[in-house]
Amino acid sequence: NLFEFPEPLSKRIRSPFHDGPATFNGTGNTMYFSRNNPARGGRSLGEDGVAKLQVWRSNLVDADWDRFEVLPFCNPDYNFTHPAITPDGRTMYFSSDRPGGKGGMDLWVSHFRNDQWSEPENLGEKINSPGNELFPFVHDDGALYYASDGLPGLGGLDIFVAYWRFGRFEEPVNMRSPINSNRDDFSIVFGPDREQGYFSSNRDGGAGG
């Protein structure tokens, strides 16, 4: 077996609610992750009384995760989730249902400038659809992989890739079978050479959902 048994992170970073997905900067000492437990020192619930998912940041201090904070562009009335950060740690893609989107959950981008994250920008109708766009992953070369149930696909969530060319994203491409199926396929990640990767699916043949 190539993998050891998974071990949970310290109790300091775990909560009774949803924690994750997580992404790390290039040096591995800053983690960005989704969580919907109450924010510290601020309004924790949306106007509908629900604790929405927000993007949190934590720094590695003395071999443990500490200094938790919600990113400033988050809003407890909407979901901000599935952060994906570029290797230089200066660009973040995430999924949100905040106002100004094209459908349900959309992909947005924020840039780290002057020691703070910028106001998010919607990636536009080329990337987003009237449905949901989720689970982004950005490759070292700038290619953006993500899941959508609103773009033409094989059924459920399909995985798409949009290549970065000349300062913008090209039209997203369905990764087709055998990556995609008539079930939900999402959350793909690749190594630098794209020779190996992993993704999630609820297709037949798995151990559960």
Side-chain angles (χ1 to χ4, degrees):
N1 193 333
L2 296 176
F3 299 103
E4 298 179 353
F5 287 104
E7 298 180 6
L9 295 179
S10 69
K11 291 183 179 180
R12 180 176 295 179
I13 203 167
R14 287 181 281 155
S15 79
F17 304 102
H18 295 293
D19 301 314
T23 186
F24 300 84
N25 66 349
T27 57
N29 60 4
T30 301
M31 174 170 58
Y32 299 89
F33 63 99
S34 303
R35 166 178 283 178
N36 68 339
N37 71 317
R40 298 181 180 183
R43 183 161 63 97
S44 60
L45 302 179
E47 293 182 353
D48 58 3
V50 176
K52 303 293 176 60
L53 290 162
Q54 308 284 279
V55 177
W56 291 65
R57 173 172 52 199
S58 177
N59 294 324
L60 190 63
V61 179
D62 296 329
D64 202 357
W65 296 102
D66 201 353
R67 300 179 184 173
F68 302 100
E69 60 180 346
V70 178
L71 294 191
F73 56 69
C74 291
N75 182 324
D77 290 326
Y78 305 101
N79 289 293
F80 296 77
T81 187
H82 306 161
I85 197 164
T86 53
D88 63 6
R90 305 195 67 81
T91 301
M92 179 186 297
Y93 300 96
F94 63 91
S95 183
S96 177
D97 58 0
R98 60 174 284 167
K102 308 302 178 184
M105 299 289 287
D106 271 20
L107 295 190
W108 299 73
V109 62
S110 176
H111 302 283
F112 194 70
R113 299 169 178 154
N114 302 319
D115 295 325
Q116 62 183 354
W117 288 101
S118 67
E119 182 68 14
E121 302 171 22
N122 188 279
L123 290 188
E125 59 185 12
K126 180 184 292 185
I127 299 297
N128 293 308
S129 74
N132 297 293
E133 280 65 49
L134 307 161
F135 300 101
F137 166 73
V138 58
H139 195 268
D140 292 357
D141 63 8
L144 180 66
Y145 295 83
Y146 65 101
S148 174
D149 63 6
L151 296 173
L154 304 184
L157 287 169
D158 270 17
I159 298 172
F160 293 79
V161 57
Y163 295 105
W164 183 259
R165 298 283 191 273
F166 307 111
R168 62 182 181 179
F169 286 115
E170 296 182 338
E171 291 285 344
V173 177
N174 187 296
M175 297 197 72
R176 308 178 67 84
S177 178
I179 298 294
N180 289 318
S181 68
N182 61 356
R183 304 292 291 275
D184 290 321
D185 309 290
F186 56 96
S187 199
I188 199 165
V189 295
F190 279 108
D193 57 7
R194 287 197 183 87
E195 291 297 317
Q196 188 178 48
Y198 301 90
F199 67 96
S200 294
S201 177
N202 62 1
R203 68 184 68 187
D204 294 336

